Amino acid sequence: DADVTQTPRNRITKTGKRIMLECSQTKGHDRMYWYRQDPGLGLRLIYYSFDVKDINKGEISDGYSVSRQAQAKFSLSLESAIPNQTALYFCATREQGFTGELFFGEGSRLTVL
Amino acid sequence: AQTVTQSQPEMSVQEAETVTLSCTYDTSESDYYLFWYKQPPSRQMILVIRQEAYKQQNATENRFSVNFQKAAKSFSLKISDSQLGDAAMYFCAYRSMGGGADGLTFGKGTHLIIQP
């Protein structure tokens, strides 16, 4: 089983719908991240969390919210999806104090029609 | 804020040949980490190699090596003896060791094509 698991792997939804992307990890890392990948733009940081009580906005947080339900779980919500939120979303984790490598989930491809 | 620039949207190389992917970054910090990640068609993000800025020696991992030029803020990736399985998107990334936003800052990526 993957150390960082994202669900769903793929989702097609309609404009205005609420969508939640979920992430769980078994690596025991305290830091978790949500990134968005668009063709030609690389990966951009949406939100990150140092622990359950510490959540921070990243570069492109508008239109998104997150919840850190437990050390191992970090979910991303789109309250009212719009077509320009169509993208590949990655969850990642990192262990505090080490070299800074991120461990990624397998990605969730979201299409908003 | 730091920025990472990959100036080659796409590169092509013959199998068994050597290819170099370019990356430059902008920072005022002296301590940081640099990474190359590979994203094959499976879309999984895979760490290829990392470099600590305080280390003068260039990192190597089997067929992958970097040319880290700190003064020039350059961090290129050399792939030797290219194999078909090396075909992927490659992303250069920067991580600050100072304050500010956590996480990695990524470049826009280079699509590497391996010609058989």
Side-chain angles (χ1 to χ4, degrees), chain B residues 20-54:
Chain B
T20 299
L21 308 184
S22 300
C23 173
T24 59
Y25 56 95
D26 183 24
T27 185
S28 59
E29 299 176 335
S30 59
D31 291 327
Y32 47 86
Y33 293 108
L34 295 164
F35 304 86
W36 279 97
Y37 277 86
K38 169 185 177 181
Q39 186 182 42
S42 67
R43 80 192 191 195
Q44 181 67 38
M45 293 290 289
I46 302 165
L47 179 68
V48 175
I49 201 165
R50 74 166 68 86
Q51 175 80 42
E52 293 88 344
Y54 65 86

mmCIF file of all heavy atoms in Angstrom, chain B residues 20-54:
data_model
loop_
_atom_site.group_PDB
_atom_site.id
_atom_site.type_symbol
_atom_site.label_atom_id
_atom_site.label_comp_id
_atom_site.label_asym_id
_atom_site.label_seq_id
_atom_site.Cartn_x
_atom_site.Cartn_y
_atom_site.Cartn_z
ATOM 1 N N THR B 20 21.307 17.056 -20.615
ATOM 2 C CA THR B 20 21.359 17.956 -19.458
ATOM 3 C C THR B 20 20.144 18.855 -19.442
ATOM 4 O O THR B 20 19.842 19.533 -20.431
ATOM 5 C CB THR B 20 22.638 18.800 -19.487
ATOM 6 O OG1 THR B 20 23.780 17.937 -19.420
ATOM 7 C CG2 THR B 20 22.679 19.757 -18.302
ATOM 8 N N LEU B 21 19.454 18.866 -18.312
ATOM 9 C CA LEU B 21 18.279 19.713 -18.112
ATOM 10 C C LEU B 21 18.681 20.906 -17.250
ATOM 11 O O LEU B 21 19.341 20.733 -16.224
ATOM 12 C CB LEU B 21 17.154 18.927 -17.436
ATOM 13 C CG LEU B 21 16.764 17.596 -18.079
ATOM 14 C CD1 LEU B 21 15.564 16.997 -17.346
ATOM 15 C CD2 LEU B 21 16.485 17.740 -19.550
ATOM 16 N N SER B 22 18.260 22.084 -17.654
ATOM 17 C CA SER B 22 18.689 23.309 -16.984
ATOM 18 C C SER B 22 17.688 23.782 -15.940
ATOM 19 O O SER B 22 16.473 23.587 -16.091
ATOM 20 C CB SER B 22 18.891 24.422 -18.017
ATOM 21 O OG SER B 22 19.881 24.049 -18.955
ATOM 22 N N CYS B 23 18.215 24.414 -14.899
ATOM 23 C CA CYS B 23 17.372 25.005 -13.852
ATOM 24 C C CYS B 23 18.143 26.170 -13.244
ATOM 25 O O CYS B 23 19.328 26.032 -12.900
ATOM 26 C CB CYS B 23 17.040 23.980 -12.783
ATOM 27 S SG CYS B 23 16.172 24.657 -11.337
ATOM 28 N N THR B 24 17.500 27.292 -13.142
ATOM 29 C CA THR B 24 18.061 28.415 -12.398
ATOM 30 C C THR B 24 17.045 28.859 -11.369
ATOM 31 O O THR B 24 15.844 28.591 -11.489
ATOM 32 C CB THR B 24 18.422 29.590 -13.320
ATOM 33 O OG1 THR B 24 17.245 30.032 -14.007
ATOM 34 C CG2 THR B 24 19.491 29.206 -14.324
ATOM 35 N N TYR B 25 17.512 29.517 -10.336
ATOM 36 C CA TYR B 25 16.631 29.939 -9.253
ATOM 37 C C TYR B 25 17.070 31.299 -8.749
ATOM 38 O O TYR B 25 18.200 31.729 -8.967
ATOM 39 C CB TYR B 25 16.614 28.896 -8.127
ATOM 40 C CG TYR B 25 17.979 28.588 -7.584
ATOM 41 C CD1 TYR B 25 18.476 29.238 -6.468
ATOM 42 C CD2 TYR B 25 18.786 27.640 -8.204
ATOM 43 C CE1 TYR B 25 19.738 28.967 -5.970
ATOM 44 C CE2 TYR B 25 20.059 27.367 -7.725
ATOM 45 C CZ TYR B 25 20.530 28.024 -6.619
ATOM 46 O OH TYR B 25 21.791 27.758 -6.136
ATOM 47 N N ASP B 26 16.151 31.945 -8.108
ATOM 48 C CA ASP B 26 16.425 33.273 -7.581
ATOM 49 C C ASP B 26 16.169 33.249 -6.085
ATOM 50 O O ASP B 26 15.067 32.902 -5.653
ATOM 51 C CB ASP B 26 15.518 34.311 -8.255
ATOM 52 C CG ASP B 26 15.822 35.721 -7.798
ATOM 53 O OD1 ASP B 26 16.960 35.961 -7.348
ATOM 54 O OD2 ASP B 26 14.922 36.571 -7.887
ATOM 55 N N THR B 27 17.180 33.602 -5.302
ATOM 56 C CA THR B 27 17.029 33.632 -3.854
ATOM 57 C C THR B 27 18.064 34.561 -3.265
ATOM 58 O O THR B 27 19.133 34.772 -3.848
ATOM 59 C CB THR B 27 17.180 32.223 -3.256
ATOM 60 O OG1 THR B 27 16.916 32.276 -1.859
ATOM 61 C CG2 THR B 27 18.580 31.670 -3.482
ATOM 62 N N SER B 28 17.748 35.082 -2.088
ATOM 63 C CA SER B 28 18.713 35.886 -1.348
ATOM 64 C C SER B 28 19.262 35.106 -0.154
ATOM 65 O O SER B 28 20.064 35.626 0.615
ATOM 66 C CB SER B 28 18.057 37.179 -0.861
ATOM 67 O OG SER B 28 16.949 36.884 -0.035
ATOM 68 N N GLU B 29 18.855 33.855 -0.039
ATOM 69 C CA GLU B 29 19.273 33.036 1.090
ATOM 70 C C GLU B 29 20.584 32.321 0.783
ATOM 71 O O GLU B 29 20.953 32.129 -0.378
ATOM 72 C CB GLU B 29 18.174 32.021 1.416
ATOM 73 C CG GLU B 29 16.860 32.692 1.803
ATOM 74 C CD GLU B 29 15.753 31.669 2.026
ATOM 75 O OE1 GLU B 29 15.821 30.579 1.461
ATOM 76 O OE2 GLU B 29 14.819 31.998 2.777
ATOM 77 N N SER B 30 21.260 31.907 1.845
ATOM 78 C CA SER B 30 22.515 31.174 1.663
ATOM 79 C C SER B 30 22.354 29.684 1.951
ATOM 80 O O SER B 30 23.150 28.875 1.477
ATOM 81 C CB SER B 30 23.605 31.761 2.568
ATOM 82 O OG SER B 30 23.190 31.686 3.922
ATOM 83 N N ASP B 31 21.329 29.332 2.706
ATOM 84 C CA ASP B 31 21.086 27.928 3.044
ATOM 85 C C ASP B 31 19.745 27.493 2.478
ATOM 86 O O ASP B 31 18.727 28.113 2.772
ATOM 87 C CB ASP B 31 21.103 27.712 4.555
ATOM 88 C CG ASP B 31 22.500 27.895 5.136
ATOM 89 O OD1 ASP B 31 23.475 27.572 4.434
ATOM 90 O OD2 ASP B 31 22.603 28.361 6.280
ATOM 91 N N TYR B 32 19.772 26.418 1.701
ATOM 92 C CA TYR B 32 18.545 25.924 1.086
ATOM 93 C C TYR B 32 18.818 24.535 0.521
ATOM 94 O O TYR B 32 19.954 24.062 0.526
ATOM 95 C CB TYR B 32 18.056 26.871 -0.017
ATOM 96 C CG TYR B 32 19.130 27.318 -0.989
ATOM 97 C CD1 TYR B 32 19.454 26.562 -2.105
ATOM 98 C CD2 TYR B 32 19.818 28.515 -0.769
ATOM 99 C CE1 TYR B 32 20.439 26.976 -2.976
ATOM 100 C CE2 TYR B 32 20.806 28.932 -1.642
ATOM 101 C CZ TYR B 32 21.115 28.166 -2.748
ATOM 102 O OH TYR B 32 22.089 28.577 -3.611
ATOM 103 N N TYR B 33 17.758 23.896 0.071
ATOM 104 C CA TYR B 33 17.866 22.605 -0.599
ATOM 105 C C TYR B 33 17.347 22.745 -2.026
ATOM 106 O O TYR B 33 16.432 23.528 -2.302
ATOM 107 C CB TYR B 33 17.026 21.545 0.112
ATOM 108 C CG TYR B 33 17.504 21.172 1.483
ATOM 109 C CD1 TYR B 33 16.811 21.574 2.615
ATOM 110 C CD2 TYR B 33 18.638 20.396 1.655
ATOM 111 C CE1 TYR B 33 17.232 21.224 3.883
ATOM 112 C CE2 TYR B 33 19.073 20.035 2.924
ATOM 113 C CZ TYR B 33 18.369 20.454 4.025
ATOM 114 O OH TYR B 33 18.795 20.103 5.280
ATOM 115 N N LEU B 34 17.890 21.941 -2.891
ATOM 116 C CA LEU B 34 17.425 21.868 -4.268
ATOM 117 C C LEU B 34 17.130 20.415 -4.609
ATOM 118 O O LEU B 34 17.805 19.511 -4.120
ATOM 119 C CB LEU B 34 18.481 22.422 -5.228
ATOM 120 C CG LEU B 34 18.790 23.915 -5.071
ATOM 121 C CD1 LEU B 34 20.091 24.262 -5.773
ATOM 122 C CD2 LEU B 34 17.644 24.752 -5.614
ATOM 123 N N PHE B 35 16.121 20.225 -5.453
ATOM 124 C CA PHE B 35 15.682 18.878 -5.792
ATOM 125 C C PHE B 35 15.371 18.796 -7.289
ATOM 126 O O PHE B 35 14.996 19.780 -7.918
ATOM 127 C CB PHE B 35 14.380 18.535 -5.041
ATOM 128 C CG PHE B 35 14.451 18.672 -3.556
ATOM 129 C CD1 PHE B 35 14.216 19.896 -2.953
ATOM 130 C CD2 PHE B 35 14.728 17.577 -2.755
ATOM 131 C CE1 PHE B 35 14.269 20.035 -1.579
ATOM 132 C CE2 PHE B 35 14.784 17.700 -1.376
ATOM 133 C CZ PHE B 35 14.562 18.929 -0.781
ATOM 134 N N TRP B 36 15.502 17.592 -7.801
ATOM 135 C CA TRP B 36 14.917 17.234 -9.090
ATOM 136 C C TRP B 36 13.923 16.093 -8.842
ATOM 137 O O TRP B 36 14.278 15.080 -8.241
ATOM 138 C CB TRP B 36 15.970 16.776 -10.089
ATOM 139 C CG TRP B 36 16.693 17.898 -10.755
ATOM 140 C CD1 TRP B 36 17.905 18.424 -10.422
ATOM 141 C CD2 TRP B 36 16.242 18.631 -11.895
ATOM 142 N NE1 TRP B 36 18.241 19.445 -11.279
ATOM 143 C CE2 TRP B 36 17.228 19.599 -12.190
ATOM 144 C CE3 TRP B 36 15.097 18.574 -12.700
ATOM 145 C CZ2 TRP B 36 17.111 20.490 -13.254
ATOM 146 C CZ3 TRP B 36 14.980 19.459 -13.756
ATOM 147 C CH2 TRP B 36 15.980 20.409 -14.024
ATOM 148 N N TYR B 37 12.693 16.311 -9.331
ATOM 149 C CA TYR B 37 11.656 15.290 -9.277
ATOM 150 C C TYR B 37 11.330 14.856 -10.706
ATOM 151 O O TYR B 37 11.348 15.651 -11.641
ATOM 152 C CB TYR B 37 10.381 15.824 -8.622
ATOM 153 C CG TYR B 37 10.378 15.787 -7.119
ATOM 154 C CD1 TYR B 37 10.935 16.833 -6.391
ATOM 155 C CD2 TYR B 37 9.810 14.723 -6.428
ATOM 156 C CE1 TYR B 37 10.919 16.819 -4.998
ATOM 157 C CE2 TYR B 37 9.794 14.690 -5.044
ATOM 158 C CZ TYR B 37 10.352 15.736 -4.335
ATOM 159 O OH TYR B 37 10.342 15.710 -2.964
ATOM 160 N N LYS B 38 10.980 13.590 -10.836
ATOM 161 C CA LYS B 38 10.574 13.008 -12.112
ATOM 162 C C LYS B 38 9.102 12.650 -12.027
ATOM 163 O O LYS B 38 8.642 12.104 -11.012
ATOM 164 C CB LYS B 38 11.405 11.744 -12.362
ATOM 165 C CG LYS B 38 10.953 10.875 -13.500
ATOM 166 C CD LYS B 38 11.798 9.602 -13.539
ATOM 167 C CE LYS B 38 11.343 8.657 -14.633
ATOM 168 N NZ LYS B 38 12.157 7.404 -14.656
ATOM 169 N N GLN B 39 8.352 12.953 -13.096
ATOM 170 C CA GLN B 39 6.950 12.575 -13.164
ATOM 171 C C GLN B 39 6.704 11.801 -14.458
ATOM 172 O O GLN B 39 6.508 12.376 -15.516
ATOM 173 C CB GLN B 39 6.031 13.800 -13.095
ATOM 174 C CG GLN B 39 4.556 13.426 -13.023
ATOM 175 C CD GLN B 39 3.638 14.626 -13.001
ATOM 176 O OE1 GLN B 39 3.839 15.600 -13.731
ATOM 177 N NE2 GLN B 39 2.629 14.584 -12.138
ATOM 178 N N PRO B 40 6.709 10.480 -14.393
ATOM 179 C CA PRO B 40 6.417 9.671 -15.587
ATOM 180 C C PRO B 40 4.936 9.745 -15.925
ATOM 181 O O PRO B 40 4.160 10.361 -15.185
ATOM 182 C CB PRO B 40 6.830 8.261 -15.144
ATOM 183 C CG PRO B 40 6.723 8.275 -13.658
ATOM 184 C CD PRO B 40 7.008 9.678 -13.220
ATOM 185 N N PRO B 41 4.522 9.107 -17.021
ATOM 186 C CA PRO B 41 3.103 9.143 -17.400
ATOM 187 C C PRO B 41 2.165 8.621 -16.310
ATOM 188 O O PRO B 41 0.987 8.965 -16.300
ATOM 189 C CB PRO B 41 3.063 8.264 -18.656
ATOM 190 C CG PRO B 41 4.424 8.424 -19.250
ATOM 191 C CD PRO B 41 5.353 8.517 -18.082
ATOM 192 N N SER B 42 2.654 7.817 -15.405
ATOM 193 C CA SER B 42 1.830 7.344 -14.284
ATOM 194 C C SER B 42 1.429 8.474 -13.357
ATOM 195 O O SER B 42 0.587 8.292 -12.477
ATOM 196 C CB SER B 42 2.590 6.284 -13.484
ATOM 197 O OG SER B 42 3.722 6.873 -12.838
ATOM 198 N N ARG B 43 2.055 9.650 -13.515
ATOM 199 C CA ARG B 43 1.851 10.922 -12.791
ATOM 200 C C ARG B 43 2.397 10.924 -11.366
ATOM 201 O O ARG B 43 2.295 11.926 -10.675
ATOM 202 C CB ARG B 43 0.393 11.393 -12.840
ATOM 203 C CG ARG B 43 -0.572 10.734 -11.875
ATOM 204 C CD ARG B 43 -2.010 11.071 -12.230
ATOM 205 N NE ARG B 43 -2.935 10.681 -11.197
ATOM 206 C CZ ARG B 43 -4.253 10.604 -11.370
ATOM 207 N NH1 ARG B 43 -4.792 10.871 -12.551
ATOM 208 N NH2 ARG B 43 -5.036 10.240 -10.377
ATOM 209 N N GLN B 44 3.000 9.837 -10.933
ATOM 210 C CA GLN B 44 3.624 9.796 -9.621
ATOM 211 C C GLN B 44 4.817 10.742 -9.592
ATOM 212 O O GLN B 44 5.578 10.829 -10.546
ATOM 213 C CB GLN B 44 4.099 8.364 -9.313
ATOM 214 C CG GLN B 44 4.753 8.185 -7.960
ATOM 215 C CD GLN B 44 3.807 8.367 -6.805
ATOM 216 O OE1 GLN B 44 2.648 7.963 -6.851
ATOM 217 N NE2 GLN B 44 4.264 9.007 -5.740
ATOM 218 N N MET B 45 5.007 11.472 -8.512
ATOM 219 C CA MET B 45 6.160 12.356 -8.339
ATOM 220 C C MET B 45 7.254 11.581 -7.622
ATOM 221 O O MET B 45 7.057 11.134 -6.486
ATOM 222 C CB MET B 45 5.774 13.595 -7.533
ATOM 223 C CG MET B 45 4.802 14.509 -8.240
ATOM 224 S SD MET B 45 5.544 15.372 -9.638
ATOM 225 C CE MET B 45 6.612 16.514 -8.783
ATOM 226 N N ILE B 46 8.404 11.452 -8.275
ATOM 227 C CA ILE B 46 9.485 10.623 -7.767
ATOM 228 C C ILE B 46 10.737 11.469 -7.587
ATOM 229 O O ILE B 46 11.170 12.143 -8.524
ATOM 230 C CB ILE B 46 9.795 9.471 -8.757
ATOM 231 C CG1 ILE B 46 8.545 8.622 -8.996
ATOM 232 C CG2 ILE B 46 10.949 8.611 -8.254
ATOM 233 C CD1 ILE B 46 8.642 7.711 -10.202
ATOM 234 N N LEU B 47 11.316 11.455 -6.409
ATOM 235 C CA LEU B 47 12.545 12.200 -6.173
ATOM 236 C C LEU B 47 13.697 11.545 -6.921
ATOM 237 O O LEU B 47 13.931 10.342 -6.797
ATOM 238 C CB LEU B 47 12.864 12.244 -4.685
ATOM 239 C CG LEU B 47 14.151 12.976 -4.321
ATOM 240 C CD1 LEU B 47 14.005 14.466 -4.598
ATOM 241 C CD2 LEU B 47 14.521 12.734 -2.861
ATOM 242 N N VAL B 48 14.403 12.349 -7.698
ATOM 243 C CA VAL B 48 15.557 11.859 -8.447
ATOM 244 C C VAL B 48 16.838 12.122 -7.673
ATOM 245 O O VAL B 48 17.678 11.228 -7.503
ATOM 246 C CB VAL B 48 15.641 12.536 -9.827
ATOM 247 C CG1 VAL B 48 16.912 12.111 -10.554
ATOM 248 C CG2 VAL B 48 14.412 12.211 -10.663
ATOM 249 N N ILE B 49 16.995 13.357 -7.186
ATOM 250 C CA ILE B 49 18.250 13.733 -6.556
ATOM 251 C C ILE B 49 18.035 15.000 -5.738
ATOM 252 O O ILE B 49 17.136 15.790 -6.041
ATOM 253 C CB ILE B 49 19.340 13.940 -7.633
ATOM 254 C CG1 ILE B 49 20.745 13.821 -7.065
ATOM 255 C CG2 ILE B 49 19.129 15.228 -8.402
ATOM 256 C CD1 ILE B 49 21.808 13.647 -8.137
ATOM 257 N N ARG B 50 18.813 15.172 -4.683
ATOM 258 C CA ARG B 50 18.743 16.370 -3.846
ATOM 259 C C ARG B 50 20.150 16.919 -3.637
ATOM 260 O O ARG B 50 21.139 16.198 -3.706
ATOM 261 C CB ARG B 50 18.092 16.072 -2.502
ATOM 262 C CG ARG B 50 18.983 15.302 -1.548
ATOM 263 C CD ARG B 50 18.433 15.328 -0.142
ATOM 264 N NE ARG B 50 17.203 14.577 -0.021
ATOM 265 C CZ ARG B 50 17.150 13.268 0.202
ATOM 266 N NH1 ARG B 50 18.253 12.575 0.308
ATOM 267 N NH2 ARG B 50 15.993 12.669 0.308
ATOM 268 N N GLN B 51 20.196 18.232 -3.373
ATOM 269 C CA GLN B 51 21.475 18.914 -3.127
ATOM 270 C C GLN B 51 21.300 19.904 -1.990
ATOM 271 O O GLN B 51 20.368 20.707 -2.022
ATOM 272 C CB GLN B 51 21.915 19.658 -4.391
ATOM 273 C CG GLN B 51 23.160 20.505 -4.248
ATOM 274 C CD GLN B 51 24.441 19.680 -4.331
ATOM 275 O OE1 GLN B 51 24.575 18.792 -5.156
ATOM 276 N NE2 GLN B 51 25.398 19.996 -3.477
ATOM 277 N N GLU B 52 22.169 19.825 -1.014
ATOM 278 C CA GLU B 52 22.178 20.824 0.049
ATOM 279 C C GLU B 52 23.093 21.962 -0.374
ATOM 280 O O GLU B 52 24.222 21.712 -0.811
ATOM 281 C CB GLU B 52 22.677 20.218 1.361
ATOM 282 C CG GLU B 52 21.751 19.192 1.961
ATOM 283 C CD GLU B 52 21.980 17.770 1.467
ATOM 284 O OE1 GLU B 52 22.660 17.592 0.431
ATOM 285 O OE2 GLU B 52 21.491 16.828 2.115
ATOM 286 N N ALA B 53 22.657 23.189 -0.211
ATOM 287 C CA ALA B 53 23.408 24.335 -0.715
ATOM 288 C C ALA B 53 24.760 24.488 -0.043
ATOM 289 O O ALA B 53 25.705 25.022 -0.638
ATOM 290 C CB ALA B 53 22.596 25.613 -0.550
ATOM 291 N N TYR B 54 24.889 24.012 1.199
ATOM 292 C CA TYR B 54 26.148 24.182 1.917
ATOM 293 C C TYR B 54 27.206 23.171 1.464
ATOM 294 O O TYR B 54 28.376 23.292 1.816
ATOM 295 C CB TYR B 54 25.936 24.082 3.425
ATOM 296 C CG TYR B 54 25.476 22.738 3.917
ATOM 297 C CD1 TYR B 54 26.382 21.718 4.217
ATOM 298 C CD2 TYR B 54 24.134 22.468 4.087
ATOM 299 C CE1 TYR B 54 25.963 20.484 4.670
ATOM 300 C CE2 TYR B 54 23.697 21.224 4.545
ATOM 301 C CZ TYR B 54 24.609 20.238 4.833
ATOM 302 O OH TYR B 54 24.192 19.019 5.274
#
